[in-house]
Structures are given as C-alpha cells and as structure tokens.
C-alpha cells in the first residue's frame, strides 16, 4: 500500500507551480486529489491529466477565493467532484496553497490590492478550514503554505508578507485547537521557487543566479522540493509534528 491510499486530499491553487507539485506528490502517494483552481480551467485540467497519466486519481474544481461567496462555491464544487468520483463529502488532508502576490512597496500600496491579498491569502484559508472541520477526519492533516518573507525583510511586497505572517499565526492557534482530534496543522515556508509567481525576477541569467545564491545549494528551488516536505507532513510519519513553521528554502539567508 502507498502512504495515502484511501485518503482524500484537497490542494488549493493546484493548477500550476507549487500547488501542482503538491497535488502530483500526494496522488503519487495514493490519495484522491481534489485539484482546486481559481480561473485557469485549462491548467487545472492539465494537472489532473498529469496525475492520471502517472496512474493517480484526481479531479479539478473551480472557486474564486476572493469572491464574497467563495467558501460556499468551494464546497459546492468540491462535493460535486467527489460525488463524480464515488467519494463521500469527507476528506483527510487540506493544503492551503492558493495565494496572490504583487502588492509592491509601501508607497505603492492600494486598498484594492490589500483587500484582495487578504481575501485570498488569509480569509479564504481560515474559513475553508472552519467550514471543513466537520468533514475533516480525526487524525487529519492541514498544511498551510507560507513564505520565507515572514522571517526576513521583504519590502518589495509588504502586504504579501503580512498575509503570510497571518497564516503563520493561524497555524499555531489551530494546531492547539485541533490537537485533541489528532489533527496536525503545520506551515511550510518556501523561498525562491521556479514558478510563474517570480518569473520576472528570473528574467535573465544574472537575475536567476542572484536568486540561486541565497541558498546554500546555489540553486533556485523546484515545486517538487516543497511538495516532498508537504508529503512528509501529511503522512503518518509526521503524527508527532504540529504547530511548526517548516523552512523549505534550501538553507537560504543562513
């Protein structure tokens, strides 16, 4: 048996980047993966195709996390997808990966961008967890994807860093709250990863080299580097790990 056989995992923002890498890893470990996407249906279905071609099980569903009715839409679409798979409404793993970035420096901030980032990066994961608690199995797993920006100055995107700081705090509170049910709650904090989110910062060989130099391994991370950490945290091997901020930066800024 694989580590996650018989379990259902939800990965938000799984149409590309780190989220896709996490979805692929959890499917490879045997989970039925619910691939959430916000607007890019083609990319969401591509994630499912990749998983299925590798012998895994997955389905895609859509919900715009900044919308006022995001949580209702999310769970209605999830239920429809689970029903098509012959699965019940319960699940075992929730990975809150979906996020928006690009707030800029302090003098560039707008209230519209601030509200959008907090809606997607903070409000959505908090209320997805709240609404899902009666579905999440005892002994389940919640993993919140944060950022190294909460441990190092990141003035280029101050609001983004603030949202991820809120995620770190949420993780601590929920780990204690849900411990009696055997549910673990942890944060994984990537550094620079080769995804669309930071493509502009890797636009030239010189820029890529500068980012790589932050890590002791002198390279930029990959989605698989982060996904493998998540794979451990959602496994039975991580049953005694909760409330933790797990640095997945490749030893950046040591």
């Amino acid at each position: 048996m694989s580590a996650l056989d018989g379990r259902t995992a939800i990965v938000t923002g799984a149409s590309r980047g780190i989220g896709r890498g996490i979805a692929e890893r959890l499917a490879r470990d045997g989970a039925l993966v619910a691939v959430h996407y916000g607007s890019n249906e083609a990319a969401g279905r591509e994630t499912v195709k990749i998983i299925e071609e590798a012998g895994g099980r997955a389905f895609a569903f859509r919900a715009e996390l900044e919308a006022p009715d995001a949580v209702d839409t999310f769970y209605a679409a999830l239920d429809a997808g689970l029903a098509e798979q012959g699965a019940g409404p319960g699940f075992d793993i929730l990975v809150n990966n979906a996020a928006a970035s690009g707030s800029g420096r302090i003098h560039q901030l707008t209230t519209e961008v601030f509200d959008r980032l907090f809606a997607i990066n903070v409000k959505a994961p908090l209320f997805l967890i709240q609404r899902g608690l009666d579905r999440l199995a005892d002994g389940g797993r919640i993993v919140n994807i944060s950022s190294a920006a909460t441990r190092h100055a990141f003035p280029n995107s101050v609001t983004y860093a603030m949202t991820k700081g809120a995620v770190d705090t949420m993780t601590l509170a929920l780990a204690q709250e849900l411990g009696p049910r055997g549910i673990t709650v942890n944060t994984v904090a990537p550094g620079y990863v080769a995804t669309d989110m930071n493509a502009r910062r890797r636009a030239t060989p010189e820029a890529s080299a500068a980012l790589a130099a932050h890590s002791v391994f002198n390279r930029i991370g990959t989605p698989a580097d982060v996904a493998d950490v998540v794979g451990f945290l959602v496994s039975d091997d991580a049953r005694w790990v909760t409330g933790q901020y797990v640095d997945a930066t490749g030893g950046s800024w040591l």
Side-chain angles (χ1 to χ4, degrees):
M1 291 181 62
S2 297
L4 301 180
D5 278 350
R7 301 184 195 182
T8 298
I10 304 167
V11 183
T12 69
S15 63
R16 55 198 177 100
I18 292 173
R20 176 178 284 182
I22 293 170
E24 290 183 47
R25 167 61 196 259
L26 301 191
R28 191 164 66 247
D29 285 349
L32 167 62
V33 181
V35 173
H36 162 265
Y37 65 93
S39 59
N40 193 335
E41 180 178 0
R45 296 194 180 281
E46 179 66 18
T47 300
V48 172
K49 180 181 178 183
I50 292 169
I51 289 171
E52 291 179 340
E53 288 179 346
R57 299 174 62 212
F59 65 91
F61 70 104
R62 177 179 181 176
E64 292 277 5
L65 295 184
E66 63 183 300
D69 60 349
V71 176
D72 292 337
T73 300
F74 184 97
Y75 279 108
L78 173 66
D79 285 345
L82 288 170
E84 289 180 2
Q85 297 290 320
F91 59 91
D92 306 277
I93 297 162
L94 172 61
V95 181
N96 283 307
N97 166 76
S101 65
S103 63
R105 303 178 77 91
I106 183 66
H107 59 279
Q108 299 170 314
L109 298 184
T110 66
T111 56
E112 291 79 11
V113 171
F114 180 95
D115 290 345
R116 179 172 183 268
L117 264 61
F118 268 88
I120 296 173
N121 298 5
V122 181
K123 181 180 178 181
L126 177 64
F127 285 96
L128 289 179
I129 292 171
Q130 182 199 57
R131 183 72 64 86
L133 284 179
D134 61 348
R135 302 163 174 253
L136 180 60
D138 289 350
R141 301 285 187 262
I142 297 172
V143 177
N144 300 313
I145 305 301
S146 180
S147 170
T150 69
R151 295 295 191 274
H152 306 277
F154 196 56
N156 289 332
S157 195
V158 60
T159 303
Y160 173 79
M162 290 170 64
T163 65
K164 292 304 187 178
V167 168
D168 295 351
T169 302
M170 177 180 71
T171 293
L172 282 174
L174 295 182
Q176 186 173 65
E177 181 81 15
L178 302 179
R181 291 180 54 191
I183 296 169
T184 68
V185 188
N186 291 289
T187 287
V188 173
Y192 290 116
V193 179
T195 66
D196 293 345
M197 184 176 285
N198 59 37
R200 287 182 298 177
R201 303 195 70 177
R202 296 181 286 109
T204 67
E206 294 78 14
S208 291
L211 295 186
H214 288 288
S215 165
V216 298
F217 303 117
N218 196 34
R219 69 173 176 87
I220 298 173
T222 68
D225 292 326
V226 180
D228 288 346
V229 176
V230 175
F232 165 70
L233 289 173
V234 303
S235 73
D236 290 339
D237 289 343
R239 62 192 175 277
W240 203 235
V241 179
T242 194
Q244 298 305 300
Y245 172 98
V246 180
D247 183 298
T249 68
S252 294
W253 301 284
L254 289 181

